[in-house]
Amino acid sequence: MPTRPVNKDDALEDFVAREITLNGVTKVVHVSGTGPAVIVMTEMPGISPHVARFSRWVRDAGFTVYMPSLFGRDGALVSAEEGVAVMQRACVSAEFRAFAANESSPVTMWLRALARHAHDERGGPGVGAIGMCFTGNFALSMMLEPAMLAPVVSQPSLPLNDPAGMAMTPDELAAVRERLEREDLTVMAYRFAGDKFCKAQRFAAFAEALGDRFVARVLPDSAANTDLPSFFATHVTTPHSVVTAHLIDEAGQPTIAARDEILSFFKHRLT
């Protein structure tokens, strides 16, 4: 497991920054590893050193990580002010539906295409994906792509103004549930109990929509790291980021158990 520091910018030099064009849209995707593909979608405010650390854990578990650049400065440990500016731009971007309770963000179409592309490149039974925070719901929306087999939803925060909203249309949710049941698949989901951005109402709504195919894990707030970068210390005032900024990288910690469960989930479905 990598031990590089997360309190300074990450050069991402062990990833290949590829420009991938899908559906007529080109994005930079940082790729590293061998084995079946796992798409790691960054939380706000971008591909931070904490997000890169998680991607390396996935890679070192035997997977090819595809980490698309969706917002922010890749590898940067940004200030509180820059992080807010990134979030504000994303909230008004045409790619995202930050305040729409029953709509999927348009960027999910590109991400589904990335799942197809990654599966074509890496083979295996299918593709895994994890979304976090602003992208948390996206892994579930990507289940409309047949190549997607292992979705992980971590602290899904959209829509921002509706605690019970799910950022997917009812038809999409119904289609995802039908597929989960037909193919005997599950969705893993994680949040902290006191998270103000991903409240209990959202997990309850997902559980109602998806039944026991939605496997929820709720971690106690006491399990969250308190040594935080500036953006999180200033603007994320409750435990939130289960496998990144709020993870405590010590054996026996609940956040490490969550990380290991996610890695085992990917291995079970993809290898």
Side-chain angles (χ1 to χ4, degrees):
M1 293 292 183
T3 58
R4 68 173 64 197
V6 291
N7 59 355
K8 62 181 182 179
D9 289 356
D10 191 319
L12 304 176
E13 78 288 345
D14 50 336
F15 291 81
V16 177
R18 296 171 51 189
E19 291 190 349
I20 297 180
T21 301
L22 302 164
N23 299 341
V25 176
T26 301
K27 293 185 182 296
V28 172
V29 181
H30 301 273
V31 181
S32 185
T34 58
V38 173
I39 298 169
V40 177
M41 293 169 282
T42 184
E43 64 189 354
M44 279 292 165
I47 299 174
S48 68
H50 286 93
V51 172
R53 179 179 66 178
F54 178 78
S55 286
R56 292 186 179 101
W57 282 330
V58 174
R59 177 195 66 194
D60 293 348
F63 301 98
T64 304
V65 169
Y66 288 72
M67 185 168 56
S69 178
L70 301 175
F71 36 74
R73 290 192 294 121
D74 298 348
L77 186 71
V78 302
S79 67
E81 294 76 16
E82 182 179 351
V84 168
V86 170
M87 187 167 182
Q88 289 173 339
R89 287 193 295 271
C91 285
V92 299
S93 168
E95 285 197 302
F96 302 100
R97 294 286 187 267
F99 299 98
N102 295 308
E103 295 182 38
S104 289
S105 292
V107 72
T108 58
M109 296 294 293
W110 190 91
L111 292 165
R112 290 179 212 165
L114 178 61
R116 291 193 297 274
H117 178 80
H119 189 220
D120 287 344
E121 288 191 336
R122 304 311 310 171
V127 175
I130 179 170
M132 314 175 193
C133 177
F134 211 77
T135 67
N137 293 308
F138 296 175
L140 188 56
S141 297
M142 291 166 68
M143 286 302 291
L144 297 171
E145 162 53 44
M148 267 293 304
L149 293 181
V152 178
V153 176
S154 193
Q155 73 270 3
S157 302
L158 299 187
L160 295 174
N161 60 342
D162 181 355
M166 293 176 284
M168 292 179 67
T169 69
D171 287 348
E172 287 174 334
L173 274 169
V176 168
R177 177 164 185 163
E178 188 279 330
R179 185 186 174 206
L180 293 172
E181 293 179 346
R182 171 169 38 88
E183 299 183 26
D184 192 23
L185 300 173
T186 52
V187 179
M188 299 301 299
Y190 299 82
R191 61 178 291 272
F192 282 104
D195 189 347
K196 69 176 182 180
F197 296 104
C198 177
K199 296 183 177 180
Q201 295 97 309
R202 181 156 296 136
F203 270 29
F206 275 127
E208 182 177 357
L210 301 175
D212 59 7
R213 300 291 170 176
F214 182 77
V215 181
R217 304 286 191 241
V218 180
L219 281 66
D221 291 353
S222 60
N225 177 35
T226 57
D227 182 15
L228 300 170
S230 175
F231 173 78
F232 285 86
T234 305
H235 298 295
V236 186
T237 56
T238 58
H240 177 64
S241 298
V242 175
V243 295
T244 56
H246 286 103
L247 176 142
I248 300 176
D249 188 9
E250 297 173 2
Q253 290 292 332
T255 48
I256 286 293
R259 178 205 66 184
D260 290 346
E261 184 178 49
I262 291 167
L263 297 179
S264 294
F265 176 63
F266 289 148
K267 287 180 181 179
H268 173 66
R269 291 296 184 193
L270 305 177
T271 61

